[in-house]
């Protein structure tokens, strides 16, 4: 499946056809944001932007897409429009890899309303997923401290979504991936060990290790739990490691994939050290996530490399980021979506978001949302509680949204996954610890400029019954 | 991203290179099976097979794949092999759409060991995910009874995995999808309504409904919760429905997307009926899953069409099927993978699976796994409990695995998603109710033929320390 402009929800095309017939020149501003950090995290890592921009630059309907839509009742003139469809709008966005928070615009699309609507599904699909996985990866990175992290989730990933998961994992702090295709296309380091089947295909585990070490002396890792970790796998691995030494080679590691990983890692470390193999690393895998790794660390398990699969690439247990795309301006007029739940009321107009910095350049714990047209920012007000506000005079602040696409063309030069990962790491270092802890993290504050709040409240009143 | 043979884990290629250098003609049999039904379900729906077979028929490494692997240390002769790589093996499989259970082979690959290994990741990736989603869809189908079901999850799906989710949802019993690309390629009915942004782009909700009805009089569904469902959206929808009647048209439905759906659906039905609009259907959406829909049904909510998104396409809360791929035979010899956990010990040799039928042709509640070479099946034995067995004389039984690929070519003509969905429905009808309930479903029994059990036990002893 190639992504074409038909990678969208049918209603986008239905609505676009109505716009085409009634107001084909409408200009819209849409906000992309999410309502909750996944995993009860105190922050999220924004990911997926470069992919979205790359896709948008060349997005079009294929001729078979148009034929399909013709057979499904769309009208001649509109099909003609679709044949020539290109995204020609502007996009303002947070930097990919930045630390982001709920209920503030992460990205804004400013475009013809048909174009803005047709790309909605694609944009949400890529950004929601990669932000989910980059956030999960970032939490696992934290739990693993300075341990190496290997993404090995492709077999349990959501079909080809696994390709994007590997990219997002690298942005969130993973060192390498088993996914060859993603490693190739995104220039991510690739790594891997061996499967049980390799050992099973031999009559003898020792012989399997020997063959493997001969053909692959560098980066050689033996899987040692096929028959019995401490009684068979590890003694055989030690035997072959000693044989490798005689050839001037070093075994890279042994891998534990079942059983009590803390207990087995300690026993394994001791047996390796007793055999003067202290350079041989211990790799562990089997249903790991941030909590299991944290527990292994707390137990002092001497694991050097963690292989993480299903829980990483599926974003378990949340499995989705609740990102939405809301109309905030139409032909220059502010627009709002009401809700019984005041938290779900959208914010009108084109906006900018400012991050407050403390004296040391650390994030202060507050982002202020202002109208794009606001000329200065003196204080931010609580979105709902009229008694709460914060004077902003004493803070340095930085604008978070920058123009990344103009008239359908990317503004900046491409950023590699490595650059984005490095940027993400540097941003996370500016986030105080209390927002990063797993249990009841601090809540990062979001405030509105006085003008934005007034505009929102005016629109709420206008539409209230 | 196009799927090429590099859509695999690095270790498959590392192992294949070792095989290439040491035993390039090895023949392997691998079993695909999973260990637990997802969602505490009493059954699963097998899906993804046609996609896998289609991909395998043409799978190869691209020249950029080979260049990448060359740069990453793979050897000349092996790269030459990869350049000519094709999957030329045989596959025996359950029929796609069948009702399947844990811990028995769903599919077997019989091939050169390098080929069998290289395709493992792809095969698991597609089958695990589609089986997960088809099973979720089947449960939602059950809860919705004869209600219409619309898949609308693409925006929260795992990137392009959403494409395969829509296919699997149709197999599991969904009537249509919002996903245009999947609808086009898999010939699934497509449907959709309108977004809040459509209404927001107008100064007036009534005007928005009017424009939409004029441009799209057929299949017209109004979203009525943008400002206030009962005080604004519904009265405006009724006004336009009456205008449509004067043009000889009928409004298809109104959609509720927030608030207390049971309460709002009842109020909406009454107001529609009081306006002589009993033909107008009620569509509901907003974080639905099998449990919410069951509750809505129990409350008597008069909802005709359910739109299900995130919880369907992400397979929440499980997010993954734990399918594995284990070597069961190598060059004609049976192979086994041990585990401390007896449930995780694999079954050796090429096998067939038989389903027991009762006098009425219903599934009896037992599948028996036998050696492919077993000539008759008299009784099945409990996998671990030596005191339990079942005499099979009184049952009709059907073999479940059929050859679907021979020397890399598909054996049967392609089956459409509709055919597969119909087959799935007919199979589910043969499964007694107690296996289908959500709470503590009956456990479908799996037994082994006497010969298979003997062979497994012999191998366990051989490898026990």
């Amino acid at each position: 499946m190639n992504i074409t402009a038909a990678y969208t929800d049918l209603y986008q095309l239905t609505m676009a056809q109505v716009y085409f017939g009634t107001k084909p020149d409408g200009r819209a501003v849409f906000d992309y944001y999410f309502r909750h950090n996944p995993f009860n995290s105190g922050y999220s890592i924004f990911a997926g932007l470069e992919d979205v921009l790359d896709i948008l630059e060349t997005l079009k309907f294929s001729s078979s897409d148009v034929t399909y839509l013709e057979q499904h009742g769309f009208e001649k003139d509109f099909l003609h429009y679709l044949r020539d469809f290109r995204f020609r709008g502007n996009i303002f966005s947070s930097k990919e890899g930045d630390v982001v928070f709920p209920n503030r615009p992460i990205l804004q699309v400013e475009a013809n309303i048909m174009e803005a609507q047709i790309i909605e599904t694609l944009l949400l699909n890529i950004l929601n997923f990669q932000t989910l996985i980059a956030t999960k990866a970032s939490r696992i990175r934290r739990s693993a401290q300075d341990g190496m992290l290997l993404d090995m989730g492709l077999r349990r990933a959501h079909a080809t979504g696994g390709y994007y998961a590997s990219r997002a994992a690298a942005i969130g702090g993973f060192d390498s991936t088993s996914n060859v295709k993603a490693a190739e296309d995104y220039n991510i380091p690739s790594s891997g060990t061996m499967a049980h089947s390799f050992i099973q295909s031999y009559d003898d585990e020792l012989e399997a290790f020997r063959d493997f070490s001969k053909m692959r002396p560098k980066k050689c890792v033996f899987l040692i739990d096929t028959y019995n970790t401490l009684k068979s796998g590890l003694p055989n691995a030690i035997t072959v490691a000693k044989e490798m030494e005689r050839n001037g080679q070093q075994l890279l590691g042994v891998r534990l994939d079942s059983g009590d990983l803390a207990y087995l890692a300690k026993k394994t470390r001791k047996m390796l050290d007793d055999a003067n193999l202290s350079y041989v690393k211990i790799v562990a895998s089997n249903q790991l996530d941030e909590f299991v790794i944290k527990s292994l660390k707390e137990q002092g398990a001497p694991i050097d490399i963690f292989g993480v699969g299903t829980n990483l690439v599926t974003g378990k247990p949340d499995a989705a980021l609740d990102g939405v795309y809301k109309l905030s301006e139409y032909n220059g007029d502010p627009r709002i979506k009401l809700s019984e739940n005041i938290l779900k009321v959208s914010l009108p107009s084109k906006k900018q978001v400012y991050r407050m910095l403390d004296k040391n350049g650390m994030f202060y714990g507050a982002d202020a949302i202002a109208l794009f047209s606001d000329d200065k920012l003196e204080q931010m007000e609580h979105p709902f509680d009229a008694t709460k506000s914060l004077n902003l005079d004493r803070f340095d602040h930085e604008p978070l949204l920058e123009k990344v696409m103009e008239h359908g063309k990317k503004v900046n030069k491409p950023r590699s996954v490595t650059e984005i990962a490095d940027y993400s790491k540097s941003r996370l270092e500016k986030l105080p610890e209390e927002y990063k802890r797993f249990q009841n993290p601090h809540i990062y504050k979001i405030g509105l400029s006085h003008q934005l709040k007034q505009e929102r409240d005016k629109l709420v009143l206008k539409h209230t019954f």
Side-chain angles (χ1 to χ4, degrees), chain A residues 204-219:
Chain A
D204 188 61
E205 193 179 44
L206 186 65
E207 193 194 340
F209 289 169
R210 259 187 204 127
D211 265 12
F212 198 85
S213 73
K214 279 177 199 148
M215 300 295 295
R216 183 110 183 147
K218 289 177 196 166
K219 297 191 187 174

Side-chain angles (χ1 to χ4, degrees), chain A residues 125-148:
Chain A
N125 174 265
I126 302 279
L127 298 181
N128 280 338
F129 180 55
Q130 289 203 39
T131 299
L132 177 80
I133 302 306
T135 305
K136 186 74 173 181
S138 166
R139 289 164 61 78
I140 295 172
R141 172 77 279 164
R142 179 177 172 83
S143 69
Q145 301 168 20
D146 56 0
M148 289 262 296

Side-chain angles (χ1 to χ4, degrees), chain A residues 31 108 327-329 333-336 346-351 370-371 452 455-457 459:
Chain A
D31 296 359
Q108 286 180 108
L327 183 73
S328 57
E329 195 176 298
D333 292 334
R335 301 292 166 155
I336 202 167
S346 67
L347 293 172
S349 296
K350 191 171 163 185
K351 295 173 284 290
L371 294 173
L452 173 60
E455 190 166 285
R456 185 200 62 180
D457 293 347
L459 282 169

Side-chain angles (χ1 to χ4, degrees), chain A residues 418-435:
Chain A
T418 307
E419 283 174 82
I420 297 167
D422 289 346
Y423 175 72
S424 192
K425 193 179 167 199
S426 74
R427 295 294 278 179
L428 206 49
E429 281 166 4
K430 292 179 198 254
L431 183 70
E433 283 300 310
E434 56 266 32
Y435 299 94

